[in-house]
Amino acid sequence: MQAAATLDRFAGWPAWLARALLAALALLLIASAIVPIEALKQEVAPRGLVGAAEVERPRDKDLAVYDAVIARLQRGEGYYDVVIEEHRKAAFPVKPGFAVRLPTLAWLAALLGDTGLTLAAIALLGGTVWAWWRRLRAEPGLQAQVAVGTALILFGAVLGLNRYFFVLHELWAGMLLALALALYRPGERWGATFALAALALAIREHVLPFVLLAGALAMWWRNWREAAAWALLAGLFMAALMLHHHLVAVRTLPSDQPSMPWLVLRGLSGWLSNVVLSSNLRFLPHWLAGPLVVLMTFGWAAWRSRLGTFGALLFLGYGAAFMIAGRPDNYYWGAVVAPPMFLGLAFAAPGLRSLWRVARP
């Protein structure tokens, strides 16, 4: 059974360890207020907010490519021939195969159309907020966090209604993972989380760390059936990914451009830039948005529960990955994890109080 949730994660820690963590957290907060946000805000922030009158803006080139792909799929053409051709028209790379998106979202968008995607986005946002409200109400000791936590989830996930980005794969993957986390009860009820994560993984391969972490923790918690299911999903996905790369490779010409390297070692700026610029934090001044990303992650770590442990490891893992991989123009990768990260702010203040009580003389 899952351990009872509590806001006193650091009770029982030795004082020296609590002091070391406080010092590290303070240094990280200072650094996060200083390091640069590397992509320009106007590249990602549409002028119209959700629910407000939208102002026309030029279509981003990468979004326009998949607009064209979806339109041609609706006319009955095949995905791989179309996507390679549209990449070449836009002077986009087609090798390695990671430069070409998986076909799942394009197929779904062609099937559902604009109206269907809008209804799906509304349903997904509503389901996510409702699921988190129920989850927080059901957790012991979190009565004071229910309203704040639900509002934070809404604030983080509302970008899922921005029609401008409906062809962005990370947008849908992040919303699906936000709902999957709300429904996840390790070792008890994980079927819905499994199905949502599988769909998100079929949309964007960047969801694979979520699947691998779920499998690893299921093994750690000796939930063998769940661990086997996650391992099977990872194996099937790797086979599908190999097929995807093959279908791209057989259509690649020697004249096609390779992608620029993704391993660019951006450090702390990479983590903060990806999360800030792919979420509503982009509207805040940099000196505030950066530390909020750190506090979100700390808040998840301060939530003493299996879900809190899962979330903390997940967001720290993605943070480390964003420090190592991804160019500044890949900021939108952060949308895979940004929506549920906001919930961590509901636990940040209690976590700091708990850590201070242990650390003080």
Side-chain angles (χ1 to χ4, degrees), residues 257-281:
Q257 300 180 44
S259 174
M260 291 186 294
W262 287 293
L263 296 177
V264 294
L265 301 177
R266 295 162 65 202
L268 183 61
S269 179
W271 175 29
L272 301 179
S273 298
N274 286 11
V275 177
V276 169
L277 295 176
S278 60
S279 72
N280 278 324
L281 290 179

Side-chain angles (χ1 to χ4, degrees), residues 49-50 154-159 275-284 338 342:
L49 301 180
V50 174
L154 177 61
F155 183 72
V158 74
L159 280 182
V275 177
V276 169
L277 295 176
S278 60
S279 72
N280 278 324
L281 290 179
R282 68 187 188 275
F283 296 114
L284 300 178
F342 282 80

Side-chain angles (χ1 to χ4, degrees), residues 32-124:
S32 65
I34 298 173
V35 298
I37 299 297
E38 292 186 301
L40 297 177
K41 291 187 177 182
Q42 54 263 38
E43 293 178 357
V44 297
R47 298 170 189 170
L49 301 180
V50 174
E54 294 189 3
V55 178
E56 290 297 326
R57 61 172 291 193
R59 193 70 168 148
D60 288 352
K61 195 174 182 181
D62 52 346
L63 301 181
V65 165
Y66 283 90
D67 288 340
V69 169
I70 292 165
R72 294 179 64 177
L73 290 181
Q74 290 172 330
R75 295 196 296 266
E77 298 185 61
Y79 176 77
Y80 284 95
D81 291 331
V82 165
V83 75
I84 296 296
E85 183 178 335
E86 293 297 333
H87 268 240
R88 289 192 183 117
K89 286 181 182 178
F92 281 8
V94 296
K95 56 184 181 183
F98 288 113
V100 178
R101 296 290 178 265
L102 297 170
T104 310
L105 181 59
W107 285 337
L108 289 173
L111 176 66
L112 296 175
D114 290 340
T115 301
L117 284 179
T118 301
L119 293 175
I122 293 171
L124 187 53

Side-chain angles (χ1 to χ4, degrees), residues 165-343:
F165 292 114
F166 272 3
V167 299
L168 186 66
H169 298 69
E170 290 78 4
L171 181 78
W172 293 95
M175 289 294 297
L176 288 167
L177 289 190
L179 178 55
L181 274 174
L183 300 175
Y184 189 39
R185 286 171 171 79
E188 299 176 15
R189 295 197 298 273
W190 50 270
T193 296
F194 181 88
L196 291 164
L199 177 56
L201 185 60
I203 290 174
R204 193 67 165 107
E205 61 269 26
H206 289 16
V207 175
L208 186 59
F210 181 100
V211 173
L212 296 177
L213 178 62
L217 288 179
M219 292 181 63
W220 179 262
W221 292 323
R222 299 181 183 274
N223 302 326
W224 305 118
R225 185 179 177 185
E226 180 186 346
W230 290 115
L232 177 62
L233 175 59
L236 291 175
F237 173 74
M238 292 307 298
L241 187 62
M242 291 175 63
L243 176 61
H244 170 77
H245 280 245
H246 170 72
L247 293 174
V248 172
V250 296
R251 291 166 172 82
T252 301
L253 301 175
S255 58
D256 287 328
Q257 300 180 44
S259 174
M260 291 186 294
W262 287 293
L263 296 177
V264 294
L265 301 177
R266 295 162 65 202
L268 183 61
S269 179
W271 175 29
L272 301 179
S273 298
N274 286 11
V275 177
V276 169
L277 295 176
S278 60
S279 72
N280 278 324
L281 290 179
R282 68 187 188 275
F283 296 114
L284 300 178
H286 168 218
W287 60 265
L288 178 58
L292 284 177
V293 175
V294 176
L295 289 175
M296 289 175 186
T297 309
F298 171 77
W300 273 91
W303 182 7
R304 189 177 182 181
S305 69
R306 285 191 173 182
L307 184 58
T309 298
F310 185 97
L313 292 175
L314 181 72
F315 301 134
L316 285 171
Y318 273 99
F322 294 156
M323 292 182 193
I324 298 170
R327 303 182 301 269
D329 59 313
N330 299 134
Y331 62 84
Y332 50 85
W333 291 3
V336 173
V337 291
M341 284 186 70
F342 282 80
L343 178 62

